[in-house]
Amino acid sequence: MPSLSVYGAQWGDEGKGKIIDRLAAGADYVVRYQGGANAGHTVVVGEEKYVLHLIPSGILHPGKVNVVGNGVAIDPLKLLDEVSGLRERGVAVDGTNLRLSAGAHVIFSHHRRIDQLGERWLGDGKIGTTGRGIGPAYGDKARRCGLRVSDLLDAERCRDRLGAALAEKNAFIQAVHGEEPMELETELDRYISIGSRLEEFVCDTGALVRAAYRAGKQVLFEGAQGVMLDIDLGTYPYVTSSNTGPNGIPSGAAFPVGQVDQVVGIAKAYCTRVGEGPFPTEDHGAEGEAIRKAGNEFGATTGRPRRCGWFDAVAVRYATECHGTNGLVLTNLDVLSGFESLKVGVAYELDGQVFDEYPAHLPSLEGLRPQLETLPGWHENIEQARTWDDLPERARAYVEWLEERIRIPIVMLSVGPERDQVIPRGLSL
Ligand code: IMP
């Protein structure tokens, strides 16, 4: 298939980095279309571990073009740090294998600061953001007062627009939060000089990717976060500020929706969530703790412990149905080895009413209780399994049972962090 969209079908952290890195081997272009440095895509290559925040996971494969589309909120300081970090480790990054959209919005220091001050202001009602300035930057985009990458390349324009933005933000920081304002000249100098460092990467990425597709190149769209964190489809207001699934591709990569040929969701064999917000199948007890320990469930971006619980078939079915998904990749199956029994959320219940399908009409999922079914676990270590037949019968039964519940095929299994720790079941690129 010439183009493939890979996205998270839970609350993020589904192990997309590894799967995209693997699929990138067969792609020519790897394209990010939303989110920003709130993402943390972990890829393990031999002894080396890479955590990518803004640069697409294809960067670790020589000869691939990695594209950061116009829908991504780019923090240029983080981006340049990431470029230097990769170069120091011998990964080539230049204007041939990394392309940035001139139209992508920029995250400035004041966005990060306002994100953090806003969370403090909300107190117990906070979202639990990553503090990376995502909401404030997308907010400015919607208010039409943001700056785009192209604005950084024109010193005079940058001075005007950033100066005006900072004047407003400073008034807000002082009046609402009673904090020290940002230093205008320092900020202007910093970002104007950054513009020249970005220049070699900047182009019209939409035109680039559409031309590549027309020429028969393989294009892989890399979603960040997950559908349950999508600003429109997720558990609002406990969401991020972008469209995380293939719904973000046409606007965030300037690529026609009708030319996205195949759509693949990624979900863990259990479920995790970072930050606040509803999580119906969360396990607050010893089993949740055991999953966190076995899966080393700590955030790749913030280091926060992830909340852990059981596979939520209702939420995953909703996520995959919304996106017309051809298949699901199930990750971290190895983490479940050793559990006597496994639970799966199959419905929700509220005040005696049962919801078999995701109740998107409710104001909140808060207070919903999960109906859980229990399946037998397995004890064998499955990290070395490479074919379906290598798996113990109970692990196969668990996967087949999930497949029935979510009504789409499970097309690949992941059984460890390494590139080769996968069991293909129909997915190739
Ligand atoms: P923000 O995107 O930093 O505004 O955070 C909004 C919500 O999305 C918070 O609950 C974050 O924990 C969550 N979030 C953002 N990015 C990721 C991610 O890459 N993985 C998991 N959760 C994320």
Side-chain angles (χ1 to χ4, degrees), residues 11-13 38-40 127-130 134 225 229 239-240 274-275 304:
W11 278 274
D13 306 318
N38 48 350
I127 304 291
T129 71
T130 58
I134 300 295
Q225 293 87 48
L229 289 171
V239 292
T240 189
V274 211
R304 291 180 288 180

Side-chain angles (χ1 to χ4, degrees), residues 11-14 16 35-41 115 119 127-136 138 224-226 229 237-242 272-277 300-302 304 306-307:
W11 278 274
D13 306 318
E14 296 91 350
K16 295 179 290 293
N38 48 350
H41 291 171
D115 192 358
E119 286 284 274
I127 304 291
T129 71
T130 58
R132 297 290 192 265
I134 300 295
Y138 279 116
Q225 293 87 48
L229 289 171
Y238 298 99
V239 292
T240 189
S241 303
S242 61
T272 62
R273 176 166 198 166
V274 211
E276 310 304 316
T301 298
T302 58
R304 291 180 288 180
R306 296 179 182 140
R307 298 157 60 192

Side-chain angles (χ1 to χ4, degrees), residues 17-180:
K18 170 191 154 161
I19 301 301
I20 290 162
D21 164 71
R22 193 179 159 92
L23 293 173
D28 300 301
Y29 286 69
V30 184
V31 183
R32 279 273 309 263
Y33 53 89
Q34 49 72 230
N38 48 350
H41 291 171
T42 306
V43 182
V44 178
V45 186
E47 300 289 293
E48 298 283 319
K49 177 173 161 184
Y50 300 87
V51 182
L52 299 162
H53 297 284
L54 268 166
I55 298 181
S57 304
I59 199 74
L60 303 173
H61 293 272
K64 312 294 172 188
V65 182
N66 295 276
V67 176
V68 181
N70 59 280
V72 177
I74 298 181
D75 182 333
L77 295 169
K78 295 258 177 262
L79 181 86
L80 290 171
D81 270 358
E82 209 166 312
V83 169
S84 333
L86 285 167
R87 283 178 177 159
E88 275 162 23
R89 296 173 73 179
V91 179
V93 186
D94 55 34
T96 63
N97 69 346
L98 177 64
R99 309 312 312 267
L100 301 184
S101 169
H105 276 253
V106 178
I107 298 189
F108 293 98
S109 321
H110 60 263
H111 289 126
R112 266 183 272 119
R113 189 141 173 237
I114 288 171
D115 192 358
Q116 289 155 21
L117 288 172
E119 286 284 274
R120 202 174 76 192
W121 174 271
L122 289 171
D124 288 345
K126 68 177 192 284
I127 304 291
T129 71
T130 58
R132 297 290 192 265
I134 300 295
Y138 279 116
D140 280 357
K141 173 180 172 178
R143 290 176 60 231
R144 289 143 296 171
C145 58
L147 273 78
R148 300 185 295 169
V149 167
S150 54
D151 295 319
L152 289 188
L153 305 188
D154 177 336
E156 209 166 312
R157 190 176 160 84
C158 181
R159 178 165 286 276
D160 280 354
R161 289 187 60 86
L162 185 54
L166 269 175
E168 189 208 10
K169 302 303 174 197
N170 272 343
F172 178 72
I173 289 170
Q174 285 175 292
V176 176
H177 295 287
E179 294 267 330
E180 284 300 302

Side-chain angles (χ1 to χ4, degrees), residues 1 23 58 78 86 169 184-185 191 205 220 233 255 320 329 337 367 382 396 399 416 426:
M1 284 288 189
L23 293 173
K78 295 258 177 262
L86 285 167
K169 302 303 174 197
L184 184 66
E185 285 307 317
Y191 286 101
T205 53
L220 176 59
L233 304 176
F255 188 84
T320 54
V329 176
S337 290
I382 58 171
R396 291 202 303 261
V399 173

Side-chain angles (χ1 to χ4, degrees), residues 143-316:
R143 290 176 60 231
R144 289 143 296 171
C145 58
L147 273 78
R148 300 185 295 169
V149 167
S150 54
D151 295 319
L152 289 188
L153 305 188
D154 177 336
E156 209 166 312
R157 190 176 160 84
C158 181
R159 178 165 286 276
D160 280 354
R161 289 187 60 86
L162 185 54
L166 269 175
E168 189 208 10
K169 302 303 174 197
N170 272 343
F172 178 72
I173 289 170
Q174 285 175 292
V176 176
H177 295 287
E179 294 267 330
E180 284 300 302
M182 312 282 294
E183 218 328 297
L184 184 66
E185 285 307 317
T186 315
E187 292 298 301
L188 286 173
D189 289 350
R190 171 186 291 158
Y191 286 101
I192 289 171
S193 78
I194 278 178
S196 57
R197 291 175 62 198
L198 291 181
E199 203 154 6
E200 64 168 315
F201 305 114
V202 180
C203 70
D204 175 352
T205 53
L208 180 78
V209 177
R210 292 192 303 273
Y213 180 84
R214 275 199 306 276
K217 301 288 183 198
Q218 306 264 331
V219 182
L220 176 59
F221 292 99
E222 169 176 5
Q225 293 87 48
V227 172
M228 304 311 290
L229 289 171
D230 181 287
I231 180 104
D232 291 300
L233 304 176
T235 49
Y236 192 89
Y238 298 99
V239 292
T240 189
S241 303
S242 61
N243 288 127
T244 54
N247 52 341
I249 295 173
S251 55
F255 188 84
V257 66
Q259 289 175 4
V260 178
D261 300 311
Q262 198 181 1
V263 176
V264 169
I266 307 208
K268 274 180 185 155
Y270 48 95
C271 191
T272 62
R273 176 166 198 166
V274 211
E276 310 304 316
F279 176 6
T281 59
E282 182 169 13
D283 188 309
H284 297 277
E287 287 185 310
E289 189 53 47
I291 293 175
R292 184 175 307 111
K293 201 161 164 230
N296 192 25
E297 292 292 356
F298 295 88
T301 298
T302 58
R304 291 180 288 180
R306 296 179 182 140
R307 298 157 60 192
C308 296
W310 302 105
F311 190 89
D312 182 341
V314 183
V316 172

